[in-house]
Amino acid sequence: MSALKIKKGSTSHSAYELRDPNADIVERHTLACIVENEPGVLARVIGLFSGRGYNIESLTVAEIDHTGHMSRITVVTTGTPAVIDQIKAQLGRIVPVHEVHDLTVEGPSVERELGLFKVSGKGDQRVEALRLADIFRANVVDSTLESFIFEITGTPEKIDAFADLMRPLGLQEVARTGVAALSRGAI
Amino acid sequence: MARQMTGAKMVVQALKDQGVDTVFGYPGGAVLPIYDEIFLQNDIRHILVRHEQGAVHAAEGYARSTGRPGVVLVTSGPGATNAVTGLTDALMDSIPIVVLTGQVPTFMIGTDGFQEADTVGITRPCTKHNWLVKETDKLADTIHQAFHVARSGRPGPVLVDIPKDVQFASGTYVAPKSARVSHYQPQVKGDIGAITKLVAAMEKAERPIFYTGGGVINSGPAASQLLRELVDATGFPITSTLMGLGAYPASGKHWMGMLGMHGLYEANMAMHDCDLMINIGARFDDRITGRLDAFSPHSTKAHVDIDPSSINKVIRVDIPIIGDVGHVLEDILKVWKSRGRKTHKDGLAKWWGKIGDWRKVACLSYTNSKKVIKPQYALERLEALTKDRDRYICTEVGQHQMWAAQYLTFEDPNRWMTSGGLGTMGYGFPASIGVQMAHPDALVINVAGEASWLMNMQEMGTAMQYRLPVKQFILNNERLGMVRQWQELLHGERYSQSWSESLPDFVKLAEAFGAKGIICKDPADLDDAILEMLAHDGPVIFDCLVEKHENCFPMIPSGKPHNEMLLGNASTKDAIQAGGAVLV
């Protein structure tokens, strides 16, 4: 995340493990866990992060296979390379967790987040908000004479940038989904 | 054949089908239907403990001494919360136990009903996995899954929470064979590339050491056999953690004794100076490593562990091997033999010479006394008088535990039951009950301190009820000895709350339960008193009054590396600096 000045995993486009395991640099990684959608599975994952003192920057969960009852949990976390490796190993140890993928090191990936922004204003401010929304390809999903709700999809950085622009234009409320991510190309 | 039956009957049937012969438990409102079914059968023996914590530790003792999962049955609410310490203990030491708890009926969950607790929520971080069963049809399958998870991979405690209406309702029973196949199948075979790399390192190593742990014992008796074969064939020295004692015999030629904070001088020095460290089923615990940045600075490190999260958790290793100890040892032996059974003979000879020099320090020597029983002497005598018997040792936690590890010897796995990771005072006595249940004709001794022992003394009732001749060998210094030792070394000899006031008369206490009590305070009487304890066919409380201010040495002070051990009282002054004092 640019705002946090945290360096992204340096090998996101390499097939080789080039990271120095002893480095003290804090990296941001996007992890995807495929889990059995049984009661308490999310609590287990969150409890692991809180219990062992790991960070959660964003967390997205939804069932992705209704017949097989499988869910995908996407966690964006930060830590030194050693901590990231430990997080992955600890996640893999949870019984209902079937797979753990580190999208940051496993190859190129696509990350998207959806944000809803309520912006209120009149006159020029309102026109400017609408103009910027158009530049960011945000959709208007609700409108009154004093307000808009914009729907925007993109990388977390893009949504951050949009929020920064909307703030002086009457930003009132924000709802964000957290990151959903997939690796690029065929499996 | 699928059969219809009530949930309560299913519980008993599932336990039978899992080969369970003993259940440790305590009844209560939310498990009454299951207790009713237990009443109606004779295949499973139920041991009524006096406190649920005791049930879990007894099950741990049973599991550790047999290698089979221990089973616990307790009620909802307080029954479940009292089990939490035992669950955490079993998680830390990787002991397979299956705890079944009653729960308020499903329609009352969340209403703060009588004896309701969020058992699955409370025990989530202290179990390997847990389940709340809301439908009777899923009950049998869940119990079979629970046994599978408890036993597979790195073993651990599991819990199945069963609401009372689920116990009463009828459903379809599934036998273990037709139960759902779990995706949970940890990898047991190690990567052959990594194993070959390790063998190559072993061939060249001039100062190798095997550092083994509880994983060898958990892997089963075959793993211990393979370890013995490998150690004796290579001629490498071997040390072990507290958890791994007995995997390699103490009488073995290459045995160096336990390592770690109160481990032997030669073992710790060898760990520090080695050029190849082969960790088999241990986890670089902080009691072992001491100061991390000075831990064995010049060695290549290999680590065999079935749990990937143990690898590189605290110490970065050069050769990680994920797999079951038994399988990996078999492959190491195979590869090493096929490559011509090579070792660096000259280097090894020099290495053993160096180890011989360290041994001359005689780190376990102590000043004996004719007036007062030294705790080390008490254990030396206990060892001498019992070592040829079919013996199982449990301990509580503290100085006596470390002395027991130092002065008693273990020739076989599964003979040594002690709370290592969690350090649970009150563990040993109930554990000894579990061990004796599994081995009715064996000699089971719990080496205890008086303070630890009092924490679960209510289990005297259990020992008496089931005529379990467990020997409670209490080294009574009227102190919390290890706390006192740390206060002496770290807190300016201010002995805050660390002595045991108002102790009971242990002989009378034994007699109050109908057991035998023996008191001994004269070193000259000790042998006879121990023989009297051994001769008695029934539970004995042995109150051994020992030197009150004895410290446990050798010791790696907090924040120090392996090669800066304290060997005795003379060297303790200002041994621990501010940086070390903050550590536990």
Side-chain angles (χ1 to χ4, degrees):
Chain A
M1 245 174 186
S2 56
L4 290 170
K5 295 199 171 66
I6 290 168
K7 210 175 143 192
K8 246 185 124 172
S10 54
T11 60
S12 59
H13 300 288
S14 168
Y16 302 98
E17 181 76 61
L18 296 174
R19 297 177 306 141
D20 174 6
N22 299 312
D24 290 330
I25 308 157
V26 173
E27 298 176 349
R28 173 180 177 273
H29 282 237
T30 305
L31 309 179
C33 308
I34 310 299
V35 303
E36 266 171 67
N37 188 16
E38 62 175 40
V41 65
L42 183 59
R44 283 177 214 284
V45 171
I46 293 171
L48 170 70
F49 278 78
S50 63
R52 293 187 185 263
Y54 306 142
N55 301 313
I56 297 181
E57 285 210 346
S58 128
L59 180 86
T60 313
V61 197
E63 193 167 76
I64 51 166
D65 173 0
H66 296 307
T67 47
H69 300 292
M70 302 299 289
S71 288
R72 186 178 179 104
I73 300 179
T74 310
V75 193
V76 180
T77 184
T78 56
T80 60
V83 168
I84 299 283
D85 286 346
Q86 188 56 210
I87 292 173
K88 287 185 270 183
Q90 292 288 352
L91 283 168
R93 210 155 84 106
I94 298 174
V95 172
V97 171
H98 287 226
E99 294 169 40
V100 179
H101 296 286
D102 185 343
L103 298 174
T104 307
V105 296
E106 281 177 18
S109 60
V110 183
E111 286 190 9
R112 287 295 178 269
E113 186 176 356
L114 184 141
L116 295 173
F117 289 79
K118 186 179 282 178
V119 180
S120 71
K122 284 182 178 164
D124 288 350
Q125 271 198 346
R126 187 171 158 83
V127 176
E128 182 63 10
L130 200 59
R131 207 177 61 84
L132 284 167
D134 193 41
I135 292 169
F136 275 77
R137 291 185 207 151
N139 298 319
V140 177
V141 292
D142 177 69
S143 177
T144 66
L145 290 175
E146 284 108 39
S147 70
F148 290 120
I149 295 178
F150 296 116
E151 174 204 293
I152 180 170
T153 314
T155 61
E157 290 82 359
K158 177 181 168 185
I159 294 173
D160 284 344
F162 187 66
D164 288 344
L165 289 170
M166 286 300 120
R167 209 158 283 125
L169 299 175
L171 180 64
Q172 289 194 314
E173 273 189 287
V174 182
R176 296 173 67 157
T177 58
V179 171
L182 286 178
S183 62
R184 287 182 187 269
I187 290 174
Chain B
M1 248 312 271
R3 284 175 286 165
Q4 291 296 116
M5 61 179 80
T6 65
K9 200 174 173 69
M10 262 183 211
V11 170
V12 174
Q13 188 60 47
L15 294 181
K16 278 186 203 172
D17 287 351
Q18 288 290 342
V20 174
D21 55 15
T22 310
V23 172
F24 302 90
Y26 204 97
V31 277
L32 283 177
I34 300 173
Y35 271 89
D36 217 18
E37 289 299 331
I38 284 179
F39 186 81
L40 296 172
Q41 56 84 49
N42 285 316
D43 297 327
I44 294 172
R45 191 159 184 213
H46 181 275
I47 305 303
L48 178 68
V49 294
R50 300 304 189 261
H51 185 287
E52 288 89 349
Q53 186 190 353
V56 186
H57 293 324
E60 285 186 272
Y62 180 96
R64 292 176 89 144
S65 65
T66 62
R68 299 196 300 271
V71 181
V72 174
L73 175 60
V74 294
T75 194
S76 63
T81 57
N82 280 343
V84 164
T85 301
L87 287 167
T88 314
D89 190 273
L91 186 72
M92 291 287 269
D93 285 347
S94 308
I95 309 303
I97 54 170
V98 177
V99 176
L100 307 171
T101 52
Q103 182 55 281
V104 299
T106 48
F107 53 84
M108 279 182 72
I109 289 177
T111 65
D112 298 326
F114 177 65
Q115 292 195 329
E116 182 186 353
D118 175 10
T119 301
V120 167
I122 289 168
T123 60
R124 198 174 284 128
C126 60
T127 51
K128 190 174 168 188
H129 196 58
N130 61 13
W131 295 262
L132 167 65
V133 183
K134 287 182 166 171
E135 295 157 54
T136 308
D137 277 335
K138 289 189 176 159
L139 181 55
D141 192 74
T142 306
I143 294 174
H144 299 318
Q145 285 280 322
F147 275 89
H148 170 72
V149 171
R151 277 194 278 253
S152 312
R154 180 177 179 174
V158 297
L159 181 142
V160 183
D161 199 23
I162 312 170
K164 199 171 181 183
D165 55 334
V166 173
Q167 299 170 31
F168 272 124
S170 280
T172 310
Y173 179 78
V174 263
K177 263 186 282 175
S178 21
R180 194 162 58 98
V181 178
S182 172
H183 86 280
Y184 182 76
Q185 307 288 350
Q187 173 189 340
V188 291
K189 290 288 273 183
D191 174 56
I192 204 72
I195 288 171
T196 309
K197 208 171 148 195
L198 168 60
V199 169
M202 286 165 63
E203 289 166 352
K204 283 190 302 225
E206 296 181 35
R207 302 185 307 280
I209 188 166
F210 283 110
Y211 146 47
T212 61
V216 184
I217 301 197
N218 273 337
S219 180
S224 291
Q225 275 309 319
L226 289 162
L227 178 70
R228 289 161 191 224
E229 195 188 325
L230 181 65
V231 171
D232 293 339
T234 55
F236 293 179
I238 175 169
T239 179
S240 160
T241 66
L242 182 74
M243 288 286 95
L245 296 177
Y248 184 83
S251 61
K253 207 173 133 201
H254 305 101
W255 177 241
M256 303 192 48
M258 180 177 80
L259 82 161
M261 183 175 267
H262 292 288
L264 270 65
Y265 179 74
E266 49 267 39
N268 285 327
M269 290 302 281
M271 285 288 278
H272 188 269
D273 285 5
C274 66
D275 68 351
L276 174 64
M277 179 187 296
I278 309 165
N279 172 345
I280 303 179
R283 60 180 176 91
F284 296 108
D285 180 86
D286 56 68
R287 302 292 95 167
I288 297 303
T289 57
R291 202 174 104 202
L292 284 175
D293 59 4
F295 175 71
S296 193
H298 309 297
S299 60
T300 299
K301 297 177 186 73
H303 187 183
V304 181
D305 204 300
I306 199 159
D307 178 0
S309 78
S310 284
I311 309 272
N312 295 335
K313 185 169 66 178
V314 280
I315 298 286
R316 284 235 48 112
V317 295
D318 307 285
I319 311 173
I321 301 173
I322 295 165
D324 166 61
V325 167
H327 286 81
V328 173
L329 281 172
E330 199 178 355
D331 286 343
I332 293 175
L333 266 165
K334 223 182 274 171
V335 174
W336 181 71
K337 284 178 184 167
S338 72
R339 287 169 56 118
R341 300 165 167 264
K342 280 177 281 195
T343 55
H344 193 300
K345 294 257 165 14
D346 294 349
L348 267 179
K350 263 191 232 161
W351 182 224
W352 276 108
K354 210 165 173 190
I355 290 168
D357 291 342
W358 289 324
R359 278 181 171 160
K360 284 186 199 133
V361 168
C363 67
L364 291 184
S365 57
Y366 61 95
T367 316
N368 209 348
S369 159
K370 287 210 154 81
K371 286 192 194 123
V372 59
I373 301 173
K374 291 283 187 152
Q376 300 96 324
Y377 178 70
L379 288 165
E380 278 182 345
R381 293 320 301 157
L382 184 72
E383 167 71 6
L385 296 170
T386 61
K387 74 174 190 184
D388 295 328
R389 304 187 45 166
D390 180 17
R391 182 184 78 176
Y392 292 82
I393 300 286
C394 300
T395 76
E396 305 285 345
V397 168
Q399 285 183 321
H400 68 272
Q401 178 189 28
M402 294 296 109
W403 281 317
Q406 292 170 342
Y407 291 91
L408 303 181
T409 60
F410 300 94
E411 295 297 312
D412 292 301
N414 304 100
R415 298 277 173 160
W416 164 246
M417 274 54 61
T418 192
S419 172
L422 195 63
T424 310
M425 291 172 73
Y427 166 87
F429 183 18
S432 71
I433 287 174
V435 174
Q436 190 83 72
M437 272 308 300
H439 310 276
D441 301 322
L443 170 63
V444 181
I445 303 172
N446 176 35
V447 176
E450 83 289 345
S452 279
W453 193 83
L454 287 174
M455 282 204 178
N456 270 321
M457 59 160 273
Q458 76 284 346
E459 300 304 329
M460 272 310 284
T462 313
M464 286 308 294
Q465 180 178 345
Y466 299 96
R467 301 170 190 278
L468 302 170
V470 286
K471 312 298 185 227
Q472 304 304 312
F473 192 72
I474 300 175
L475 298 175
N476 184 351
N477 61 357
E478 299 170 19
R479 302 286 184 282
L480 309 185
M482 194 60 94
V483 172
R484 197 210 67 85
Q485 178 168 343
W486 280 57
Q487 287 172 335
E488 181 184 323
L489 298 179
L490 282 165
H491 295 274
E493 301 180 45
R494 292 179 296 279
Y495 299 121
S496 179
Q497 308 297 321
S498 60
W499 69 91
S500 311
E501 283 279 0
S502 308
L503 282 171
D505 175 332
F506 282 100
V507 174
K508 279 190 188 154
L509 181 69
E511 285 162 6
F513 279 100
K516 183 180 177 66
I518 298 173
I519 187 166
C520 184
K521 54 188 166 194
D522 186 341
D525 300 337
L526 186 59
D527 275 24
D528 286 344
I530 291 175
L531 289 171
E532 188 188 350
M533 170 182 88
L534 298 175
H536 181 71
D537 183 21
V540 178
I541 301 179
F542 189 107
D543 185 12
C544 188
L545 297 176
V546 296
E547 162 66 48
K548 297 185 202 314
H549 303 109
E550 193 72 14
N551 282 337
C552 184
F553 290 112
M555 177 183 187
I556 303 177
S558 306
K560 296 280 185 176
H562 277 167
N563 58 350
E564 293 182 34
M565 287 197 90
L566 303 179
L567 289 169
N569 278 324
S571 56
T572 58
K573 203 167 182 314
D574 301 323
I576 302 174
Q577 282 125 31
V582 72
L583 303 169
V584 183

